[in-house]
Amino acid sequence: MAEQDKVDLWINGEPVSGCAPSSLIVDVLRDDLGLLGTKKSCETGACGACTVLLDGCPVLSCRTFAGSASQRALTTIEGLVQDPESRRLIASFTSPDLPGCRDCTSGFIISAKALLQVDPAPDVTEIKRALAGHTCRCVGHEFFIEAVLKASGQTQTDSVPPQTDPPTEERFPCAQATSIRDIRLPRLAEAVVLGSRFAAATIVAIDAQAARLAPGVIAVLTATDADVDGALRLATTTTYVGEPIAVVIADSHQQATRALSRIEVAYETIAPAAAPGHRAPTRDPLDMASGQTTRALAGSGGAVASWREDRASLLTNVTPTDAERSALFAAAGPGLAEGRTEWTGLAPASAARRGLSRDDAIRAALLSKTLGRPVRVHPHAGSFGNTGNSSPPSVHIDHDAGATAFSRHQSMDAAARQRGMDPLAFRLQQIKDPVVANGLTRAATAFGWTEKWRGWAHDDIERRRPGIGLALTNEGTADAEGSTIAVFVDVDVDTELGTISLGDCTVLVITGSAPSSLLRLAAQTGLALGVETALVQDAVAVDDLDAAPATGHFLSRSMSTLDSPRAAYILRDSGAEAEFSFETVVRAVASATVGALVNAVRDATGVSPSALPMTADRLRWRNRP
């Protein structure tokens, strides 16, 4: 490229010369300048992690070319860290209790900065709108909404503890590695995976010659290569869109991606039911229990591996559990043994509304040992093709929000209905522990249950119908060890459109002694997860990768700040020695939220929902009760 074709940028108050106008801003920041605070996550403009300020306005750097930013002021999270006026904002987003990966945090802060420059004291609705383009896969969005309120001086919350010292890289590691894409190692080779375009097909032929001759390419491997021996998990007959069929290894990610586009594949599509191992996704709650659902995930999957003599180091986005470690070593090829492998994660397992790809870790380890250099396998559409026993990509959203809990919570209300009892009174009748009973009564009063409860008989004629619902963890045994979790919700159902509007929520957590800020954050996360499972997140199967490049097998919508409910949290110490872990509270609140929403819809309409999520296309009340 001629020198006169280059453009100059102004980044964080400093000039940057000689940028290719066709380069994406995110690549300039991360690859050319080493500014890793701007995250490269979904690469489709869906997650908001790559947000930067361009002349004070938030833009997606993964969708903005350097040519359009020439001679304009670009500000990244690193620039805000150096800005004294932004320290209060950054400190509000920095919590020692936050267990997530923090990949999304920089993007949230950038958009919050843009909002506060225009309106120093925004209300909750304005904050939700400003942050709506950002997705967090680890914790609930309430944390981020409250952080903006705190930064604007409007509130003080337990979940965002006060800080007076300016943020540093140790306290806010914006420039440190928080994802697989951030890792920088000498001689690091980049591996990108080619996924099947079709859900069920036989790979008739793969022509990779042009890719092998591309600049910087080290190797191109397919299932037919003799030296692979099946260990790379490359398919010849596919069972889901995005299933890996080839892998390209090159000196740079850009070179690997360009070479990948040169591979030509001949498919012979077959009926999905005839494909070996194929399991079509459904909307049945049973699939919620078995993890047969996925969503548009940002930054998940991938792995980095490096060998030194006979020892392997593996790095994944999420810390593996003991079961995942065992499964990896059971499935791995020769040479990868537990006693000679150090496997760590960048985020704790409790951050985990995401999942872990065992196959990506195996691919990285095998390629690294073969090449004699570190290898990064980048996240791809098939990263979750083998996280459990399922063939399609899957993420275990919430084990307890599946068929068992779905039915159990409804059965408690059904039992109360048969006796003509208030659902709250019926549950209190079952509870023997006074701590649990008193806590539940207090939460019901805060929610206004008595004022809102209309009894089982109500008008069936109105199009818009209000309803309230309640659910507890361990229905029927809520006094176990003096601890419980309960959720109260109210809804408004439009029976013509099938839409559900969520109103007020009250969450009760009674557990052993634990930091209140951590419990509250876990409750917020669980509530968001439950709302998403019941009302928001839907998965629709696709047959062609071109229709779903970000998710592979499904098109889905994830929860945003606009879906965040109004919620009150009541946290009580039961005095019990046993504590609930963060993950346990998240799953329990999610389960209770699903049950409460299902019961609220039944209360509003007289019809028991039969599938999750309860979306408009399946909540048309054709048969009025």
Side-chain angles (χ1 to χ4, degrees), residues 47-341:
C47 71
C50 70
T51 304
V52 298
L53 293 178
L54 185 60
D55 289 339
C57 297
V59 299
L60 297 170
S61 62
C62 77
R63 315 300 284 176
T64 305
F65 292 104
S68 64
S70 178
Q71 300 299 324
R72 300 171 67 184
L74 270 167
T75 304
T76 71
I77 188 66
E78 290 87 354
L80 293 189
V81 169
Q82 304 303 319
D83 175 23
E85 295 182 0
S86 299
R87 288 175 179 172
R88 179 185 178 90
L89 171 63
I90 296 175
S92 298
F93 281 82
T94 307
S95 169
D97 291 326
L98 191 66
C101 66
R102 294 173 172 83
D103 268 9
C104 65
T105 308
S106 297
F108 273 104
I109 293 174
I110 291 289
S111 288
K113 175 66 175 180
L115 172 64
L116 295 177
Q117 286 179 329
V118 176
D119 185 353
D123 60 25
V124 170
T125 299
E126 292 169 327
I127 295 172
K128 287 183 177 181
R129 289 172 179 167
L131 303 182
H134 297 269
T135 298
C136 176
R137 303 310 320 150
C138 299
V139 299
H141 289 108
E142 284 185 80
F143 170 84
F144 301 100
I145 296 169
E146 291 175 353
V148 180
L149 288 171
K150 174 175 166 54
S152 64
Q154 299 181 77
T155 187
Q156 181 79 30
T157 67
D158 290 337
S159 59
V160 185
Q163 293 183 357
T164 56
D165 297 334
T168 64
E169 286 194 0
E170 289 74 25
R171 298 181 63 177
F172 182 72
C174 63
Q176 297 178 4
T178 60
S179 75
I180 290 300
R181 298 178 189 269
D182 292 344
I183 302 302
R184 299 293 186 268
L185 294 174
R187 300 182 66 244
L188 180 64
E190 308 285 2
V192 295
V193 171
L194 177 65
S196 170
R197 176 176 173 178
F198 299 100
T202 298
I203 310 301
V204 177
I206 297 181
D207 185 355
Q209 186 60 25
R212 292 188 173 97
L213 296 176
V217 170
I218 300 169
V220 179
L221 302 173
T222 70
T224 58
D225 292 310
D227 58 334
V228 173
D229 196 25
L232 288 181
R233 273 52 171 187
L234 302 176
T236 55
T237 299
T238 65
T239 58
Y240 60 89
V241 171
E243 184 168 5
I245 59 176
V247 60
V248 176
I249 309 98
D251 290 324
S252 74
H253 182 228
Q254 192 175 57
Q255 289 171 332
T257 302
R258 288 175 178 171
L260 194 77
S261 66
R262 299 186 181 186
I263 298 177
E264 296 183 1
V265 183
Y267 297 90
E268 181 178 328
T269 58
I270 55 181
H278 180 79
R279 286 189 58 188
T282 73
R283 291 168 170 167
D284 190 276
L286 287 171
D287 275 350
M288 300 298 296
S290 61
Q292 291 294 316
T293 48
T294 191
R295 34 177 197 259
L297 293 170
S300 298
V304 172
S306 179
W307 285 81
R308 179 172 296 179
E309 296 179 351
D310 64 341
R311 298 188 63 83
S313 295
L314 287 179
L315 185 65
T316 51
N317 266 359
V318 178
T319 301
T321 63
D322 291 340
E324 286 166 337
R325 288 178 184 274
S326 299
L328 170 76
F329 296 117
L336 195 63
E338 187 165 5
R340 300 194 305 274
T341 303

Side-chain angles (χ1 to χ4, degrees), residues 452-525:
K452 295 176 180 179
W453 174 247
R454 299 170 299 152
W456 293 112
H458 56 271
D459 188 358
D460 298 334
I461 306 302
E462 295 296 327
R463 168 182 169 178
R464 301 186 67 88
R465 307 181 194 176
I468 60 174
L470 158 67
L472 284 71
T473 54
N474 303 319
E475 294 275 27
T477 59
D479 55 343
E481 298 185 1
S483 300
T484 195
I485 288 173
V487 176
F488 296 79
V489 300
D490 67 41
V491 300
D492 183 82
V493 182
D494 186 322
T495 58
E496 294 296 329
L497 298 178
T499 56
I500 301 172
S501 300
L502 180 59
D504 294 326
C505 304
T506 298
V507 179
L508 169 70
V509 179
I510 303 177
T511 182
S513 58
S516 60
S517 57
L518 183 62
L519 283 179
R520 191 172 190 274
L521 186 59
Q524 289 177 335
T525 302

Side-chain angles (χ1 to χ4, degrees), residues 412-428:
M412 290 296 290
D413 266 32
R417 188 164 57 250
Q418 290 174 354
R419 294 164 175 77
M421 292 183 66
D422 178 323
L424 172 63
F426 178 74
R427 286 171 170 84
L428 286 171

